[in-house]
Amino acid sequence: MPRLSPRVSTLLAGLLGAGLAAAVVITAAAGGVAWETAVTLLAVDCVLVLLGIVVIGVRRVDAKVQKALREQRDHASALKTSRSRELGEIDERRQAVAEEVRDAVRGMQGALGAERVELYTRVTELQDGVAALKGQVERLERTMAGVDGHVGAVDGLIRELPEKVRVSAGTAADATYAKLEAHADLRSWVDPRAPLPSLSGWAIRPDVLQIVFETLWRDKPKLIVECGSGSSSVWLGYAVQRLGTGRVVALEHDERFLQASRDLVRAHGLDEVVEVRHAPLEPWTLGDDTYSWYAAGALTDLVEIGVLLVDGPPGDTGPEARYPAVPALLGHCADVVTIVLDDAHRADERALSDRWLAAYPDLVRNARGQGNAAHVFTRRSP
């Protein structure tokens, strides 16, 4: 038997109620029941009819609600399927880009040789950036459930992701190539007697050391002073030996690094041209400012400095820790001097570089190296 619609059911309930009411009235008129009883039956009939209409109305509303809920669930399921598919495509594109980067890195490693550690580090940063982008996409997916407007944002992210990865990879490759080129140039200068120390990590970068080598070749200074010691002390020693003139004095405040640097110099047979000098840090005051600087007693015999390489003390010894280098040592320098400030990409070094330039107008400054990693100050004869 077909199910009646709510509207037909309501109509039938009304007709049934009206029929019953008519029957009661006719029966009462004919004397079959008392009028008091008839009124009571009519009231009961009205109540039953109203209850029937309410029940039918509730069923009608419930049917609409159930239909709306089914439609909502169908829509949500379709939306979830669409988002899952889009996110799957994003992940596939990310993996493809990451695989291209890894293939490029593996291809470059064979040619990069000693510089592969630097490249690995940069690629790791690149992969972390891609992972961070994936995390952003996942967070976006959680917030856009049921919101159609977020689809445009996801599409935009999909378009931008390959470009961001390409730019980052290109920058890393350019920086690594510049270091490799500088390292190859430096390597052609020296004929080592032992394995050369690495120019990575805490050591001076090859492109910055190349600036110092260019200065040695041009000016042939009598004395090179290095604030700090390590790998650069050995490389500078070989450069001085090749030029046949000059000597290197490396100032070192840390006794552990002092011994390690001395052993390194001795292993390469450079004791005659390189001195790693113990220069503990002590208070050094200029105006109202006090710094931790190399002991004055370790500096008194340093005269006619032609090249000053400022790569120490470390930044954790105080704000603008390397500022005393020029006010303390410029009086020990030759008329023609080149001062190379390493790590000039850091805020402290940029600030003290500006102070040097303002306090000593006879110095000329140039930014050099990959990413302006060094500030080079020169002073020429009057």
Side-chain angles (χ1 to χ4, degrees):
M1 180 177 178
R3 187 175 180 179
L4 298 178
S5 67
R7 180 175 299 175
V8 174
S9 297
T10 302
L11 181 59
L12 289 176
L15 291 174
L16 180 59
L20 289 173
V24 170
V25 172
I26 293 170
T27 302
V33 294
W35 280 107
E36 292 80 358
T37 304
V39 170
T40 302
L41 291 174
L42 287 173
V44 171
D45 180 58
C46 290
V47 170
L48 290 174
V49 170
L50 289 175
L51 286 175
I53 292 173
V54 169
V55 169
I56 293 170
V58 169
R59 288 183 55 195
R60 182 179 183 183
V61 172
D62 180 66
K64 291 184 177 180
V65 170
Q66 292 299 324
K67 180 180 179 181
L69 288 176
R70 285 195 301 273
E71 291 176 350
Q72 182 64 26
R73 283 194 295 269
D74 292 343
H75 177 72
S77 177
L79 184 61
K80 183 177 180 180
T81 301
S82 175
R83 299 299 184 272
S84 299
R85 183 168 57 254
E86 291 171 356
L87 290 172
E89 293 174 356
I90 291 174
D91 190 61
E92 290 177 1
R93 295 184 188 183
R94 178 193 66 78
Q95 292 179 2
V97 171
E99 186 61 31
E100 290 178 4
V101 173
R102 285 193 292 270
D103 290 344
V105 170
R106 285 194 290 268
M108 293 174 66
Q109 284 174 349
L112 297 185
E115 291 301 304
R116 61 182 179 275
V117 175
E118 289 288 330
L119 184 59
Y120 278 137
T121 301
R122 193 68 188 95
V123 169
T124 299
E125 294 174 357
L126 179 63
Q127 291 173 337
D128 289 343
V130 174
L133 287 174
K134 181 183 177 183
Q136 292 177 5
V137 173
E138 291 174 348
R139 288 193 296 272
L140 181 61
E141 185 272 339
R142 289 194 296 268
T143 59
M144 69 181 184
V147 182
D148 294 335
H150 284 255
V151 175
V154 175
D155 291 340
L157 186 59
I158 293 171
R159 290 191 295 270
E160 293 173 6
L161 180 60
E163 179 64 17
K164 289 181 179 179
V165 173
R166 186 192 66 77
V167 172
S168 182
T171 302
D174 290 344
T176 301
Y177 179 79
K179 292 179 183 179
L180 285 174
E181 188 177 38
H183 191 283
D185 184 44
L186 295 174
R187 189 63 180 78
S188 67
W189 269 63
V190 302
D191 186 15
R193 290 178 286 272
L196 285 166
S198 174
L199 295 177
S200 61
W202 292 104
I204 191 171
R205 287 171 32 170
D207 50 328
V208 176
L209 187 60
Q210 185 184 38
I211 298 169
V212 181
F213 271 41
E214 291 173 358
T215 305
L216 299 182
W217 182 264
R218 182 189 65 227
D219 297 338
K220 298 179 175 57
K222 297 178 181 178
L223 177 62
I224 300 97
V225 173
E226 181 184 14
C227 297
S229 67
S231 300
S232 54
S233 306
V234 171
W235 286 82
L236 289 172
Y238 276 119
V240 166
Q241 270 195 345
R242 175 169 178 174
L243 289 173
T245 181
R247 66 188 183 98
V248 179
V249 175
L251 304 174
E252 181 55 66
H253 73 283
D254 190 304
E255 294 188 11
R256 295 170 301 170
F257 290 109
L258 174 74
Q259 191 57 49
S261 296
R262 284 177 174 173
D263 291 343
L264 194 58
V265 168
R266 189 178 301 110
H268 285 267
L270 296 170
D271 305 72
E272 293 184 0
V273 293
V274 179
E275 176 191 356
V276 182
R277 179 178 298 186
H278 188 211
L281 300 181
E282 62 182 24
W284 187 91
T285 301
L286 180 66
D288 296 331
D289 299 322
T290 300
Y291 304 85
S292 292
W293 187 247
Y294 301 108
L299 312 178
T300 53
D301 65 329
L302 301 177
V303 294
E304 294 295 308
I305 300 172
V307 172
L308 175 60
L309 174 57
V310 185
D311 196 20
D316 58 9
T317 58
E320 298 184 20
R322 299 174 182 179
Y323 178 75
V326 169
L329 291 173
L330 190 59
H332 297 252
C333 293
D335 291 337
V336 176
V337 62
T338 298
I339 303 168
V340 179
L341 173 65
D342 194 17
D343 301 316
H345 60 284
R346 302 190 308 208
D348 260 18
E349 273 64 25
R350 289 198 302 271
L352 67 89
S353 174
D354 291 340
R355 292 177 62 193
W356 285 351
L357 197 63
Y360 300 94
D362 56 335
L363 295 179
V364 178
R365 181 179 68 184
N366 288 292
R368 298 282 303 277
Q370 182 72 21
N372 295 331
H375 283 182
V376 181
F377 294 82
T378 55
R379 183 180 68 181
R380 294 295 176 189
S381 299

